[in-house]
Amino acid sequence: MKREIIQLLLEQEVISEEIAEELQEIDNDKLVDSIKEFALKQTEKIKSKKIQEHLETTTIGKTIYCFPKAYSTNTLAKYLANKNAEDGTIVIAEVQTKARGRSSKKWESPKGGIWLSMILRPNLPPSKASLITLVTGIAVAKTLKSFGVDAKIKWPNDVLINGKKISGILTEASATLNNIDYIVVGVGIDTNLKIDDFNDEYVKSRITTLNEELGEDIDENEFIAKFLKEFEEVYDLYKKEEFESILNEWRILSDTIGKYVEISQSHGRFKYGYAVGINKEGCLIIEEADGKLEKIISGECRTKGER
């Protein structure tokens, strides 16, 4: 982790090769100070002060670190979380150079999208950590809907418009036996991008962007502030353990329930069936051909006809 943070500073020409070598030996607190100082560097469009001008939250987003470029916002957020960053701290980058999605898949993060991570300390048992993905999906979908598009959630971590992906969520948790130490939630949203801004042809065939849907750019600072407000409202339910309310809201926004799905799991295994619901742990419940109900804890979900 420390090596990655130093590499970030080096890539941005904030430090020289010689200083990078010296940083390997410095106290971690000083390295954190270096990261925070880098966050004061001028960004082009997404700015912490502008976000906070629109912000209507109590906790989420009161501290925002905004970078012109980052190795990965989740990498930065985990480092800061390990150095006692408070609940609700946000890390944003206008560009990510080494971002990843689920299963370590590469995540393209060009300028024009929203790439952010949230540091959360919910004081709940580790068994509840996975539900934060549902919480985040609800917040993303509701924010998108406020801009006039019909966003839906695909289990477990994608948000779609007309069947095409516009957002992905990556959750990483650190926990003891009985309690969550912290959760870092990475969120990528394709906002002011065009399809041709992406390099991978397969990716281009499966995604959309808010610019493509609306025909115009939106104010990303305003969007982030709205998202953080929507997130805090559902996160408050999560911290109060009002999980049934969260699940009911997720079901309403679901693009998965009621469809025939293929679940790709580890070691080349597949599960097939109709998605009939999710349970209180956030697992997908599918009905297989023989009528048996199967609980799916994790995996990549594709609906019938999806590429």
Side-chain angles (χ1 to χ4, degrees):
M1 180 77 72
K2 184 176 181 179
R3 179 185 60 78
E4 293 173 347
I5 299 302
I6 293 172
Q7 181 64 27
L8 164 72
L9 298 174
L10 185 62
E11 285 177 356
Q12 298 307 303
E13 299 179 352
V14 175
I15 57 174
S16 65
E17 292 278 1
E18 292 76 17
I19 294 174
E21 291 180 10
E22 292 175 11
L23 286 177
Q24 296 286 353
E25 308 300 326
I26 72 168
D27 180 86
N28 273 324
D29 289 339
K30 291 181 180 178
L31 184 53
V32 170
D33 289 340
S34 296
I35 294 167
K36 292 177 180 178
E37 183 178 346
F38 180 40
L40 298 174
K41 186 176 178 182
Q42 189 71 11
T43 46
E44 185 177 337
K45 290 186 177 180
I46 301 177
K47 302 178 186 293
S48 57
K49 287 184 179 179
K50 286 191 175 182
I51 295 167
Q52 288 170 331
E53 285 174 5
H54 298 287
L55 204 56
E56 299 178 23
T57 59
T58 302
T59 302
I60 303 296
K62 292 305 178 185
T63 300
I64 299 176
Y65 298 116
C66 196
F67 299 86
K69 186 182 290 186
Y71 186 94
S72 155
T73 58
N74 263 32
T75 296
L76 278 169
K78 285 190 291 182
Y79 188 84
L80 293 170
N82 283 314
K83 296 301 164 187
N84 302 314
E86 63 185 355
D87 182 40
T89 296
I90 308 298
V91 178
I92 300 171
E94 291 190 316
V95 174
Q96 294 182 106
T97 59
K98 296 288 178 66
R100 67 195 187 284
R102 281 169 54 88
S103 304
S104 298
K105 291 181 180 178
K106 181 182 177 182
W107 181 277
E108 287 194 60
S109 311
K111 185 172 287 188
I114 291 172
W115 324 117
L116 68 81
S117 296
M118 301 179 285
I119 298 170
L120 308 172
R121 301 188 187 275
N123 193 28
L124 289 171
S127 61
K128 302 302 180 185
S130 62
L131 288 174
I132 203 68
T133 302
L134 306 187
V135 169
T136 310
I138 292 168
V140 172
K142 290 177 72 174
T143 306
L144 287 165
K145 280 179 172 291
S146 74
F147 283 82
V149 294
D150 187 19
K152 298 286 187 180
I153 307 168
K154 184 178 83 169
W155 185 92
N157 68 324
D158 291 342
V159 179
L160 313 177
I161 296 176
N162 297 322
K164 292 196 170 185
K165 182 173 177 176
I166 191 169
S167 175
I169 299 158
L170 177 64
T171 301
E172 300 179 273
S174 174
T176 60
L177 183 62
N178 298 314
N179 195 63
I180 296 168
D181 179 19
Y182 66 79
I183 304 174
V184 167
V185 184
V187 182
I189 307 170
D190 300 332
T191 47
N192 294 337
L193 291 163
K194 296 188 181 300
I195 301 300
D196 286 341
D197 291 330
F198 296 88
N199 296 314
D200 189 299
E201 292 300 322
Y202 178 67
V203 169
K204 288 181 180 181
S205 71
R206 300 179 68 235
I207 66 166
T208 189
T209 74
L210 199 52
N211 175 280
E212 295 281 347
E213 297 294 328
L214 298 178
E216 61 183 5
D217 283 353
I218 53 97
D219 183 331
E220 290 169 315
N221 299 288
E222 180 185 348
F223 187 102
I224 292 169
K226 284 185 177 182
F227 164 69
L228 297 181
K229 181 177 184 292
E230 293 286 0
F231 179 84
E232 185 172 86
E233 289 178 1
V234 193
Y235 183 52
D236 284 344
L237 295 176
Y238 174 77
K239 290 189 290 184
K240 294 173 184 175
E241 302 187 52
E242 296 181 18
F243 303 128
E244 194 55 43
S245 295
I246 295 168
L247 294 174
N248 285 338
E249 193 156 14
W250 190 93
R251 292 179 184 114
I252 292 169
L253 293 166
S254 173
D255 188 66
T256 304
I257 294 174
K259 293 187 175 180
Y260 188 82
V261 297
E262 170 192 284
I263 310 294
S264 172
Q265 298 181 306
S266 57
H267 307 295
R269 294 177 299 177
F270 290 87
K271 295 284 186 179
Y272 303 90
Y274 283 95
V276 296
I278 54 171
N279 67 9
K280 61 183 179 181
E281 285 82 34
C283 299
L284 186 68
I285 308 300
I286 65 171
E287 182 179 354
E288 297 181 313
D290 61 1
K292 178 184 176 184
L293 295 180
E294 181 81 11
K295 179 174 73 174
I296 307 297
I297 297 172
S298 64
E300 185 166 341
C301 176
R302 291 186 178 89
T303 56
K304 187 175 182 180
E306 184 179 353
R307 294 184 61 179

